Amino acid sequence: RGLRCRKQRMDRVRVGVIGAGIVGLSTALCVAESLPGCSVTVIAEKFSPHTTSDVAAGILSPHLITVTPVESLRRWFAETFAHVYSIARSTEAPDAGVQILSGWEIFKEPPEERIPFWSDIVLAFRVMSDSELTRFPETTFGWMYTTLLCECLLYLPWLEKRLKQAGVQLEAGKVTDLWDLEGKYDVVVNCAGLGAGPLTGDPLLHPVRGQVLKVRAPWLKHFIRCGDGTTYIYPGVTGVTLGGTRQAGDRRLGPDAADERSILARCLVYEPSLAGCRGLGEAGVGLRPTRRALRLGGERLERGGRSMWVVHNYGHGGAGVSLHWGMAREAARLVKETLAQIRPQPTHNKSKL
């Protein structure tokens, strides 16, 4: 019996997931659920509330300037929206920090695409009327729709709880070389965000600094987002998030007082009642791991006669929340396909009597 137990432990598939942001935790959960009996470990230098995801406003709205095919973005967003919507309609919604949220997206000049590719995925999408537009200064076009908000300061701990229930191990540690994990795992999943740059030598990955303010303004019930993404007001579970900044190549993690004044001034233009709001702690800063094309795919690394298998899932920029579940499901499928290659199931020949 002891030999059989040791053999079962040796035969058990082992998957390591680097990163504990929304993408890493979701991917680990999808792997654990799609491969029952698989040993899954999340390795990360930082866990919630210290990840980039914890700073995110958390709105589901896949605004991306990217060369990633629209068909893929649409599929990942639709799967993510359906998943988060199911949570929003469950008893888990308060603990998960998920809520249904309606609001306006406004433009100074009409966008090239009057109807975005995601318009039939969100709820009750429509073009704003002229009378609605008069509320917002210098606005000539806009959309109103209902979407979802996923507050990561609550959502990530909720995901961690689900991971622990699924038997997934959470391990604190910084991975500086993928080869340090060789032999420990059958497949490594790289969800390291900005940390994927030094791990892979990817020259296309770069930071885009984002700063937000969290305020108490419980009278606000609808979101407002400028179409260029520079200014937004998102009421959430624990407060209202005001944003923001998009500073490419800027690696400063400390709050900037000038940015804070600019954010508040811009938001006051569209919501003057914020003059009476109260700040909730220090401004939040995160570095969006941005890449011209999202990287989701498998790779076999080779070095000195040795090899290891890696599935990459990074480069989401500001769309990690919007695409997390759809891309996690696809990453889990890639893990499953990779394991089928490197550890094929034995075939049993049955003799006919």
Side-chain angles (χ1 to χ4, degrees):
R1 183 181 176 184
L3 285 171
R4 185 167 66 252
C5 288
R6 282 196 295 273
K7 185 176 186 302
Q8 287 173 345
R9 284 195 295 269
M10 287 173 62
D11 289 345
R12 196 178 187 197
V13 171
R14 300 159 300 163
V15 176
V17 179
I18 307 171
I22 192 168
V23 174
L25 296 184
S26 301
T27 300
L29 187 57
C30 285
V31 171
E33 290 179 345
S34 64
L35 290 166
C38 174
S39 169
V40 181
T41 303
V42 176
I43 314 109
E45 183 181 13
K46 295 178 181 178
F47 287 83
S48 182
H50 306 295
T51 74
T52 300
S53 297
D54 288 293
V55 183
I59 199 81
L60 267 70
S61 185
H63 295 81
L64 281 172
I65 301 171
T66 174
V67 297
T68 303
V70 170
E71 301 78 34
S72 297
L73 295 176
R74 178 179 168 80
R75 182 175 70 255
W76 296 329
F77 180 59
E79 291 180 2
T80 302
F81 195 93
H83 174 71
V84 179
Y85 191 37
S86 70
I87 299 170
R89 292 178 294 164
S90 76
T91 57
E92 294 288 311
D95 290 339
V98 169
Q99 69 180 79
I100 298 170
L101 187 64
S102 300
W104 303 276
E105 181 159 348
I106 55 178
F107 300 84
K108 291 185 177 181
E109 296 294 336
E112 287 185 19
E113 280 191 303
R114 298 288 183 108
I115 305 296
F117 73 84
W118 43 265
S119 62
D120 61 342
I121 298 172
V122 298
L123 308 175
F125 178 95
R126 63 177 176 81
V127 174
M128 290 168 63
S129 67
D130 290 341
S131 60
E132 287 174 302
L133 292 172
T134 59
R135 175 185 167 177
F136 304 106
E138 299 181 7
T139 298
T140 64
F141 185 83
W143 302 318
M144 186 172 191
Y145 55 91
T146 299
T147 184
L148 299 157
L149 188 133
C150 194
E151 198 153 329
C152 287
L153 280 168
L154 296 172
Y155 189 62
L156 295 192
W158 181 78
L159 280 176
E160 288 183 14
K161 185 175 78 171
R162 286 190 62 189
L163 286 167
K164 290 172 183 175
Q165 291 170 346
V168 175
Q169 300 296 309
L170 305 180
E171 182 181 305
K174 183 175 182 178
V175 180
T176 56
D177 189 335
L178 290 173
W179 285 95
D180 291 342
L181 303 181
E182 185 219 357
K184 297 180 182 178
Y185 304 102
D186 297 285
V187 180
V188 172
V189 189
N190 174 18
C191 303
L194 201 57
L199 281 178
T200 62
D202 188 342
L204 301 178
L205 189 66
H206 64 278
V208 175
R209 181 178 179 273
Q211 180 167 319
V212 297
L213 306 178
K214 203 70 169 282
V215 300
R216 178 171 170 75
W219 58 89
L220 295 182
K221 306 299 181 186
H222 294 80
F223 74 81
I224 301 171
R225 182 189 193 275
C226 288
D228 61 4
T230 56
T231 304
Y232 46 84
I233 301 166
Y234 293 134
V237 178
T238 61
V240 179
T241 300
L242 309 181
T245 65
R246 291 179 180 272
Q247 298 155 327
D250 191 335
R251 292 181 176 269
R252 292 176 300 141
L253 283 169
D256 184 289
D259 286 337
E260 185 170 340
R261 290 191 296 271
S262 172
I263 290 167
L264 187 55
R266 283 182 276 122
C267 289
L268 279 167
V269 170
Y270 299 109
E271 187 52 71
S273 71
L274 284 168
C277 72
R278 181 168 58 85
L280 293 174
E282 194 176 53
V285 178
L287 304 181
R288 303 177 183 94
T290 305
R291 198 173 187 272
R292 192 157 169 262
L294 300 169
R295 188 174 186 189
L296 179 58
E299 180 182 22
R300 181 179 179 176
L301 303 180
E302 297 186 356
R303 177 191 286 180
R306 298 177 297 156
S307 65
M308 64 179 293
W309 293 85
V310 180
V311 170
H312 299 286
N313 185 8
Y314 68 86
H316 304 83
V321 174
S322 295
L323 304 176
H324 73 277
W325 194 256
M327 294 190 71
R329 286 184 61 183
E330 189 153 334
R333 180 181 58 76
L334 290 170
V335 169
K336 203 169 184 178
E337 289 176 0
T338 301
L339 288 168
Q341 282 184 270
I342 61 179
R343 293 181 65 158
Q345 294 296 312
T347 55
H348 301 282
N349 294 324
K350 294 184 179 180
S351 60
K352 295 180 180 179
L353 296 177

